[in-house]
Amino acid sequence: MKSITIVMVFIFIGLTAFGVQAEIYSWTDENGVKHYSHTPPPDRSVSVKTAPEIQPDPTTDQKIEKINEENIDAILEALEKEEQTPAPKPVKTQKPPSRQERIAAEEEKLEEKIAWLEQLPPQAYTNMRSKQAIIGRYQYRMQLLLSNPDEYFEKYGN
């Protein structure tokens, strides 16, 4: 039942959408009253102005260039010049950090994480035992990093 209703709504919208596009007429009557309407004025003796087509704002920075026979050569030349310009050289990447720099950076991350976990309020944890277990995992990682960095980086990456 719902699908029939939806189909009917779409059919109704489709049939009525053609009448949406209309001109807007404006005129001033003999009493000086300005009128706006989608139908022309009843008395054709008054001058009628239709709304002008909406034009792009000339103050915008976007330059719209229409392609026609006169400027097609200029556009093609500009495209060829763009293709001929050399690609920018890739930026040299920094050399990877040394082993000691990697260890120091990872140690700093772990210390910050442990400090952050310790400063959390008790409500952030299920109970004190879970708090100790979570902090203990990071302390274990710190010990492993300091005692055997190769195993640490193999196990935890980076």
Side-chain angles (χ1 to χ4, degrees):
M1 187 66 181
K2 286 185 179 182
S3 61
I4 293 173
T5 306
I6 293 172
V7 170
M8 293 300 291
V9 167
F10 280 118
I11 290 173
F12 177 74
I13 290 172
L15 293 174
T16 58
F18 293 112
V20 173
Q21 183 180 1
E23 291 187 24
I24 298 175
Y25 299 93
S26 82
W27 70 92
T28 306
D29 65 7
E30 61 277 350
N31 296 329
V33 178
K34 187 93 170 171
H35 296 274
Y36 295 95
S37 174
H38 65 282
T39 59
D43 181 13
R44 290 283 183 177
S45 63
V46 292
S47 63
V48 177
K49 290 192 290 185
T50 59
E53 182 179 329
I54 297 173
Q55 299 294 326
D57 187 9
T59 60
T60 59
D61 294 351
Q62 298 175 351
K63 182 180 178 184
I64 301 173
E65 187 173 350
K66 293 183 180 178
I67 298 176
N68 57 34
E69 291 178 16
E70 297 171 2
N71 66 357
I72 191 78
D73 292 331
I75 293 172
L76 289 174
E77 286 176 16
L79 288 173
E80 286 175 9
K81 285 180 184 177
E82 286 180 16
E83 290 174 0
Q84 291 174 356
T85 56
K89 294 180 180 177
V91 178
K92 292 183 180 179
T93 57
Q94 296 177 350
K95 64 178 184 175
S98 68
R99 177 184 163 107
Q100 291 303 323
E101 291 171 338
R102 286 180 62 200
I103 293 171
E106 196 66 25
E107 183 179 5
E108 185 178 333
K109 284 184 202 175
L110 290 172
E111 286 173 351
E112 288 176 3
K113 185 69 173 183
I114 291 169
W116 181 76
L117 288 169
E118 287 175 343
Q119 63 86 25
L120 286 175
Q123 297 83 8
Y125 300 99
T126 308
N127 54 37
M128 288 307 290
R129 190 171 184 182
S130 67
K131 178 180 180 177
Q132 292 170 346
I134 293 169
I135 293 173
R137 285 187 209 131
Y138 284 98
Q139 290 172 339
Y140 167 78
R141 287 176 67 171
M142 178 74 81
Q143 289 173 353
L144 182 62
L145 174 67
L146 298 175
S147 64
N148 191 350
D150 293 329
E151 184 181 343
Y152 175 87
F153 287 118
E154 183 179 311
K155 187 172 184 177
Y156 297 108
N158 291 349

